[in-house]
């Protein structure tokens, strides 16, 4: 990874007053992407890979909630505590809480050298709020990448996903197993299953996706921003497919 674009995402993960260490890439029109797709299609992995390639910031709302959940109980606001409950069940956190959290971090969207939004927006209300925020600052999305995968593959990916508790590397017990069972190849950390990847939460998450997030596909298609990508194959293959489409877009 290019050292100059390394970003600890403190400003995004902790919110104000944490400062941003991101160095904006030298690009006149930085990439401003939204990644769409059902839970488990690999948005997070693609966001990491695209971040390395494009030098944009990886802004995941799920990561913010998980980081908040690790804080001491007394350091969590009542809204955050309630958000943790929604998250545990696999349900969407209410728009008002999500927007409050994103609005506090709007600097990361408006004034950094491009971004990759992963897991936000997830409802039409959130998409409208984002559009309004960006329009006020006269900036626009470059594209909305929609990762497509059949539902049975999604369930297999989610139930097999394991994340390193230390370095957050992602493995899959079937598709991308670690060399040693339950141990991270990169740092030796323990590999854990996310609480919301358990079967009962997976069903709720997929239902929430169909009900609330799938309508965004039409919303962004109507705005001429939708970029469908088949999410089958290895992460590198999916990345190449995505970059090819982005190149085509740039050369239009
Ligand atoms: P993710 O890591 O993106 O799958 O998010 C994990 C969980 O965090 C989701 O299942 C929701 O409970 C919550 N969450 C993350 N982002 C949002 C969002 N934009 N709107 C509502 N809930 C969200």
């Amino acid at each position: 990874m290019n050292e100059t674009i390394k970003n600890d995402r403190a400003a995004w993960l902790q919110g104000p007053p944490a400062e941003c260490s991101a160095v904006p890439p030298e690009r006149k029109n930085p990439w401003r992407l939204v990644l769409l797709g059902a839970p488990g299609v690999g948005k997070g992995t693609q966001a990491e890979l695209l971040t390395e390639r494009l030098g944009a910031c990886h802004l995941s709302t799920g990561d913010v909630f998980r980081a908040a959940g690790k804080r001491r109980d007394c350091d969590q606001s009542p809204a955050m505590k309630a958000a943790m409950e929604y998250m545990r069940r696999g349900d969407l956190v209410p728009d008002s809480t999500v927007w409050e959290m994103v609005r506090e971090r709007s600097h990361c969207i408006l004034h950094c050298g491009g971004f990759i939004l992963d897991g936000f927006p997830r409802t039409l209300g959130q998409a409208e709020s984002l559009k309004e925020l960006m329009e006020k600052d006269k900036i626009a999305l470059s594209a909305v990448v929609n990762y497509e995968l059949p539902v049975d593959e999604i369930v297999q990916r989610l139930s097999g996903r394991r994340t390193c508790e230390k370095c957050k590397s992602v493995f899959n017990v079937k598709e991308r197993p670690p060399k040693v069972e339950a141990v991270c190849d990169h740092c030796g950390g323990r590999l854990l299953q996310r609480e919301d990847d358990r079967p009962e939460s997976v069903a709720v998450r997929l239902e929430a996706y169909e009900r609330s997030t799938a309508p965004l596909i039409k919303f962004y298609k109507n705005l001429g921003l939708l970029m469908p990508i088949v999410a089958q194959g290895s992460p590198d293959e999916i990345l190449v497919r995505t970059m090819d489409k982005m190149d085509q877009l740039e050369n239009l």
Side-chain angles (χ1 to χ4, degrees):
M1 183 164 158
N2 182 342
E3 286 305 316
T4 56
I5 58 167
K6 209 167 187 174
N7 174 11
D8 61 12
R9 295 195 298 163
W12 179 252
L13 294 180
Q14 294 161 30
E19 298 223 353
C20 183
S21 69
V23 180
E26 292 160 11
R27 199 170 183 277
K28 217 170 100 210
N29 291 313
W31 284 105
R32 297 188 178 101
L33 299 175
V34 165
L35 306 192
L36 278 188
V41 291
K43 292 189 300 293
T45 306
Q46 289 305 309
E48 294 287 345
L49 296 172
L50 286 167
T51 298
E52 285 177 28
R53 288 289 184 101
L54 308 176
C57 292
H58 174 192
L59 308 181
S60 150
T61 40
D63 282 351
V64 176
F65 287 129
R66 278 183 286 278
K70 289 202 184 106
R71 295 211 190 107
R72 286 181 314 171
D73 202 50
C74 56
D75 291 338
Q76 286 181 22
S77 67
M80 257 316 164
K81 279 188 195 160
M84 296 300 113
E85 268 314 303
Y86 284 99
M87 201 175 162
R88 243 167 248 135
R89 287 200 301 269
D91 250 331
L92 292 186
V93 175
D95 276 359
S96 53
T97 309
V98 175
W99 183 242
E100 178 61 26
M101 184 195 95
V102 172
R103 205 185 45 78
E104 274 186 342
R105 293 161 171 77
S106 54
H107 186 91
C108 296
I109 292 176
L110 299 176
H111 305 300
C112 73
F115 57 76
I116 296 164
L117 275 171
D118 158 22
F120 177 88
R122 246 176 164 107
T123 64
L124 283 172
Q126 293 177 15
E128 296 281 8
S129 300
L130 174 68
K131 190 164 171 279
E132 215 174 284
L133 177 85
M134 292 180 69
E135 278 173 359
K136 265 195 206 142
D137 239 61
K138 299 194 172 37
I139 59 171
L141 289 173
S142 321
V144 174
V145 185
N146 184 35
Y147 290 107
E148 300 172 338
L149 198 66
V151 124
D152 51 339
E153 284 190 46
I154 290 175
V155 172
Q156 196 183 46
R157 280 204 195 169
L158 285 174
S159 53
R161 177 159 68 178
R162 300 290 182 272
T163 310
C164 173
E165 65 176 345
K166 275 201 210 147
C167 73
K168 308 290 168 224
S169 295
V170 180
F171 296 82
N172 189 289
V173 291
K174 285 220 179 86
E175 292 173 1
R176 263 193 301 160
K179 292 190 187 105
V180 178
E181 198 187 327
V183 178
C184 177
D185 287 355
H186 309 299
C187 74
R190 262 194 319 162
L191 298 185
L192 302 177
Q193 183 172 44
R194 264 170 53 171
E195 206 169 357
D196 59 353
D197 280 347
R198 297 180 201 283
E200 55 284 13
S201 304
V202 166
V204 180
R205 286 166 74 197
L206 290 177
E207 205 269 319
Y209 170 78
E210 277 306 324
R211 187 184 40 194
S212 305
T213 312
L216 293 186
I217 296 171
K218 195 163 164 218
F219 176 84
Y220 284 121
K221 194 170 181 191
N222 289 342
L223 292 174
L225 287 167
L226 200 72
M227 185 191 276
I229 301 283
V230 174
Q232 268 155 334
S234 70
D236 283 339
E237 284 164 353
I238 302 167
L239 176 70
V240 168
R241 229 171 271 149
T242 311
M243 296 293 295
D244 282 353
K245 278 265 185 90
M246 285 167 61
D247 284 347
Q248 286 169 21
L249 188 73
E250 216 169 17
N251 294 326
L252 275 183

